[in-house]
Structures are given as structure tokens and as C-alpha cells.
Amino acid sequence: MLPGIEGACPFVEDSFSRFLSQSNMYGLCQAGEQELLAATLKGKVVCFRYQDLQQKIRPVAKEVQFTYIPVDAEIVSIDAFNKSHPSRGLVVGITFIKEGDKATPFLNIYCDYEPGSEFNLESIAQSCLNLELKYTPFQLYHTEVQCKDGCSETVFLLSGNDQCIHLYKENASLHQFEEQPVERLFPELQDLPSNVLWLDMLSIPGGRRLSAFGCQNGCVGLSLVKQEAPEVLQSWRLQQDSPISTVLLFPLYTHQTSNSTEEQAGGYNLLVTSTIEMAVVYRDVEECGMSKPCCLAESDQCDAVLCALVIDLDFDGQKEVLLGTYGQELLCYKFQQPMTGVAGDFQLLWRRSFKSPLLSVIYLDLTGDGLKELAVLTLKGLHILQHSLCSTAELVLQRLSSRAAALSAPTRDSTPPPTEQREQEEELQQGQEQEETREEQSVSPSAT
């Protein structure tokens, strides 16, 4: 257990939905703007949302009957995404293993092409493409890729126990998804050293992307890829001593001014968590690869880290790192830069205890009020945490007050000149007047 940590968790619990059976670290995803889908191991999928009931916003958890999932199935992973523009529609993917004499894995992809039903979850759940797999599935992940015509398209990537990543891409003419060779769009995902447990990608300026994966044997892979060709520009590998639970790519700051450099803005970083070792943030990976590690102290004191999230929780423009552990703790770290020229580190700000192990965390606006909630999936159910309205309101008033003061402050052009400058201007003006008087006196006699 960790010693006492100063700093209180800024969230308060709004609701808790208990599940009839447990989930896993791949069992929670966002579906649309204001909905969550949580999958349990016994084949049930629950949709969680907030609804306006009796003039109050209340949480509602409702089971969704997705077709072609047998009653004896064990769901492994779930993911969902909105199609890239100009296409429209919500796509849901569910992997499961059908129990029986021979356990058979499947990938179901749900998508409704009927106009008006593209985002209707009940209709989508009835429109299924059922694909039998030859491998045991792990993480189901989606990412956006650049097409040859300049448009974007979102695809599924599925890792398995065959030491491969499988690509599933939509065939628009046939209205279905098909498996395609992964090397066509993701050459960095070839020749993997072990089964991939977690995958993450991040598009960066210049038509490039960063790709990271964490393996069952402890290997961490990182690649810088040119998306147009595609072409691997640079790649790095690192070996740790325990299975990798998550990898997350992120910029440290939520916004970057036009005149700030990548170094000033914190560059791009890679968070790596494992089942035994301390969590590590590798700084400025685009330039330095994985040569600048920054350990998150005491992150190995609460059992295995199973999930992670990087978000700006205190609205200061700098992101914090959240770690969810099997030891029932949610840990929050913040990067501290002591002084210019000295390497900073991530320090533990606060922690929050739960009554069961944490499996997944997502940050989204469930209530539609512009203030996001933190969804925490545990072994027993789904917790919804909200920002404290009092502290948030105080912060808004402070920001408004500072903004108003800045707008009302006199500008540099409207400020009067200093006293010395005024005296110099007056002396100059008097000298000009005296010179004009002398000229007039010297001209008068000749004129007469």
C-alpha cells in the first residue's frame, strides 16, 4: 500500500451500476458522443447513458441485445467508432469465444446502412457481420488512416495469440468489413516479437503517425511512420521483464501556440505500464525514441496496473496521468518542472480507493453539459465520477475575472508618455517656435 498522499481527488461519485458478471480490461468503450458500452464475460452488453427523466438528468443502464452472440459465449473485447467523414454511422465490434466441445472465437461487426438508422444502437445491434477467427482475440482497437484520394477512413485492428495484428477494413460497395493484409496500411506491425496485449497510435503533423505496442513477453515497440506511402521512418524496441498492460502516446500539453517549439510544448510522450514493474513515461519519443525514461514513483505498490488514461483534469492546459490498478487504487500523476535546464519528473498528486480492481477508464461528456465525467470500470461494475461543481464554478469565475481584467487594462498605445519624454517634446516644440519667430524677424526688414 502507498503511504498517505497529500491532495484530494477532485471527483465525486455520481452513480454506480452493478453487473451480474465481471468484465475485463478490454470490456469498456465509448459509443457515440454520450454513451458507453460495457461487455461482461457472460455475453451481456450494457449501454450506459444519462437521460432526462422527470425533469432530472438520471443515469440509465440498459442491456442491448446484440445478435449472433450465443448465450454461452464469453466476450473478450469490445470497441466502437463513428465513421470518418463523409461516411456516416456508428460501428460496433465485439469479439467472443463460443464455448462447447471446441472453443471457437468470433468477431462480430455491427453497422446499419439504412438511412436514418446509422446511429440507432437498437437497429445497429441487429445488423451483424459474423466472422469466425483462427486465433484467440485480445484487444480490439480502431484508428484512422489516410486513403490515396486524400480522404480518411477508420479501421479495426485486432491482436491475437497468433503473434499478429489483423486489419479489418470496410468495403463500401459490398456494405461489409473484410480482413486485409495489415502491411498495406501498417508496415510497422509486421514481424512482431510476441502476442500484442495493447496497441496505440497518434497522428502528428507532417502526415506522420507514431505507433506503439506492448507485448506479452515484455517487449515495447515504437515506430515513426509516414502515412502517405506508408513508410516506416524510424523504429525502436525495448525489453521489459513483465507483460505490458497498456501503452499510450500523448502530448503533454492540451494546446500549443504557433510560436512554441515541440520541446517547449513537451513533445510527444509514451506511457508504458506493466504487470510488475513501475509505470514509465518516455519523453519526447519523436526525437529521442525511448532513451529518456521517467519513472512514476510508487506505481508498482498497488499490484498490477491494468489501465491508464492521460487527460487534463485540472484545466490548466497540462495533462495528468491516471493509472488504474488491480490493487483497487486510482493514481494521478502530474509532471513537475522544477526549473529551466533541470529534468522534471511525474509526481503523485492524489489517489482514490475503490472496492474492487480497476479494469478500464474513459473520460467523456455523458451528461452533455460540457463538463466531462470519468467512467471507471471495475470488477463489480461501472462507476461514474464527476468534477466537483463548486470547485469548477470557482475556477470558471477566476478565469472570467482574469479575462475581464486583461480586457479592461489600458493598452501600451493609450498610456501617456513618461514625464521626461513629455518635457523633451515640450522643449522641442518651444525651440521650433523660437526658430520660426527669428525667421519672421529676419524677413520683416527686407520686406519693408
Side-chain angles (χ1 to χ4, degrees):
M1 294 295 293
L2 290 171
I5 302 297
E6 294 185 1
C9 172
F11 292 99
V12 292
E13 183 158 335
D14 181 69
S15 68
F16 172 69
S17 300
R18 184 178 295 274
F19 296 156
L20 296 178
S21 64
Q22 70 183 45
S23 183
N24 64 22
M25 59 189 292
Y26 305 131
L28 184 67
C29 74
Q30 182 174 346
E33 297 297 327
Q34 299 175 13
E35 294 181 341
L36 288 169
L37 291 177
T40 63
L41 296 184
K42 291 188 176 180
K44 306 295 183 183
V45 179
V46 177
C47 175
F48 186 92
R49 62 163 70 95
Y50 276 76
Q51 289 185 348
D52 189 354
L53 300 174
Q54 299 178 352
Q55 298 182 344
K56 289 186 177 181
I57 301 295
R58 301 181 185 275
V60 176
K62 179 183 178 182
E63 182 181 343
V64 181
Q65 300 292 337
F66 283 91
T67 57
Y68 293 98
I69 298 181
V71 293
D72 60 346
E74 180 177 310
I75 295 181
V76 178
S77 54
I78 186 171
D79 192 25
F81 62 83
N82 287 334
K83 291 184 181 180
S84 303
H85 182 77
S87 300
R88 298 182 72 255
L90 175 68
V91 181
V92 180
I94 300 175
T95 68
F96 63 91
I97 298 176
K98 181 182 178 182
E99 300 295 338
D101 296 336
K102 181 182 178 182
T104 307
F106 288 90
L107 166 62
N108 284 2
I109 300 179
Y110 299 87
C111 181
D112 196 333
Y113 291 91
E114 288 294 326
S117 301
E118 301 96 336
F119 296 97
N120 187 315
L121 194 56
E122 298 294 338
S123 299
I124 293 171
Q126 306 305 311
S127 304
C128 174
L129 172 65
N130 181 251
L131 301 173
E132 183 175 346
L133 306 177
K134 297 180 180 180
Y135 55 90
T136 301
F138 294 142
Q139 183 198 19
L140 183 61
Y141 178 81
H142 71 270
T143 187
E144 196 171 63
V145 294
Q146 302 297 323
C147 303
K148 294 181 180 179
D149 57 1
C151 296
S152 299
E153 185 176 356
T154 305
V155 300
F156 275 129
L157 293 171
L158 177 59
S159 60
N161 71 337
D162 58 350
Q163 208 166 304
C164 294
I165 301 290
H166 300 265
L167 167 66
Y168 295 90
K169 186 174 180 290
E170 183 181 24
N171 186 326
S173 60
L174 297 178
H175 284 188
Q176 67 180 26
F177 280 75
E178 300 173 341
E179 182 174 4
Q180 297 187 5
V182 71
E183 60 270 14
R184 290 183 182 177
L185 297 177
F186 302 94
E188 70 271 28
L189 299 181
Q190 300 180 88
D191 303 323
L192 300 173
S194 177
N195 299 329
V196 172
L197 300 183
W198 203 270
L199 176 70
D200 192 39
M201 295 185 179
L202 179 66
S203 295
I204 62 176
R208 300 168 300 160
R209 69 168 175 261
L210 289 166
S211 300
F213 60 80
C215 296
Q216 194 170 8
N217 70 347
C219 179
V220 179
L222 173 67
S223 299
L224 178 63
V225 182
K226 180 182 178 182
Q227 297 200 63
E228 184 179 355
E231 176 188 358
V232 178
L233 301 176
Q234 202 167 0
S235 62
W236 303 266
R237 294 282 175 94
L238 182 72
Q239 186 65 45
Q240 294 194 186
D241 295 330
S242 59
I244 305 301
S245 53
T246 59
V247 291
L248 288 177
L249 291 158
F250 66 97
L252 186 60
Y253 296 93
T254 56
H255 57 80
Q256 180 178 334
T257 59
S258 58
N259 58 356
S260 63
T261 64
E262 290 292 336
E263 183 178 359
Q264 291 171 336
Y268 298 101
N269 309 279
L270 173 63
L271 170 66
V272 178
T273 70
S274 65
T275 56
I276 297 178
E277 301 163 85
M278 279 194 297
V280 182
V281 173
Y282 295 95
R283 303 272 290 133
D284 198 12
V285 294
E286 182 187 1
E287 299 294 333
C288 305
M290 291 183 281
S291 63
K292 293 176 63 178
C294 183
C295 294
L296 276 58
E298 302 177 355
S299 58
D300 58 344
Q301 301 299 307
C302 300
D303 213 320
V305 176
L306 297 183
C307 56
L309 190 63
V310 182
I311 50 175
D312 181 14
L313 290 176
D314 53 9
F315 313 111
D316 66 347
Q318 178 180 310
K319 295 183 179 181
E320 288 76 44
V321 175
L322 290 180
L323 303 180
T325 72
Y326 193 83
Q328 307 177 16
E329 297 284 341
L330 179 65
L331 309 176
C332 179
Y333 290 82
K334 190 174 184 67
F335 183 74
Q336 305 289 346
Q337 183 77 46
M339 62 185 68
T340 305
V342 179
D345 61 353
F346 286 85
Q347 297 182 4
L348 185 58
L349 279 187
W350 52 261
R351 62 174 179 172
R352 189 186 193 280
S353 298
F354 290 78
K355 294 184 178 180
S356 58
L358 280 67
L359 302 176
S360 182
V361 285
I362 294 180
Y363 192 55
L364 76 165
D365 185 7
L366 283 168
T367 57
D369 61 355
L371 192 61
K372 293 185 178 182
E373 285 76 34
L374 186 68
V376 181
L377 179 67
T378 68
L379 211 58
K380 294 183 178 179
L382 182 64
H383 299 259
I384 302 298
L385 308 182
Q386 293 184 330
H387 287 276
S388 169
L389 294 181
C390 292
S391 59
T392 305
E394 290 179 2
L395 179 60
V396 170
L397 292 175
Q398 290 176 6
R399 297 282 174 86
L400 289 175
S401 177
S402 300
R403 183 63 176 165
L407 291 174
S408 61
T411 61
R412 182 179 299 178
D413 295 337
S414 63
T415 55
T419 304
E420 293 182 3
Q421 185 175 351
R422 285 203 304 270
E423 292 176 353
Q424 291 175 0
E425 290 177 351
E426 291 174 356
E427 291 176 359
L428 180 60
Q429 185 175 0
Q430 291 176 359
Q432 290 176 348
E433 292 175 353
Q434 292 175 359
E435 183 67 20
E436 291 173 358
T437 302
R438 285 196 297 268
E439 290 178 356
E440 291 175 357
Q441 292 176 351
S442 61
V443 171
S444 293
S446 60
T448 57

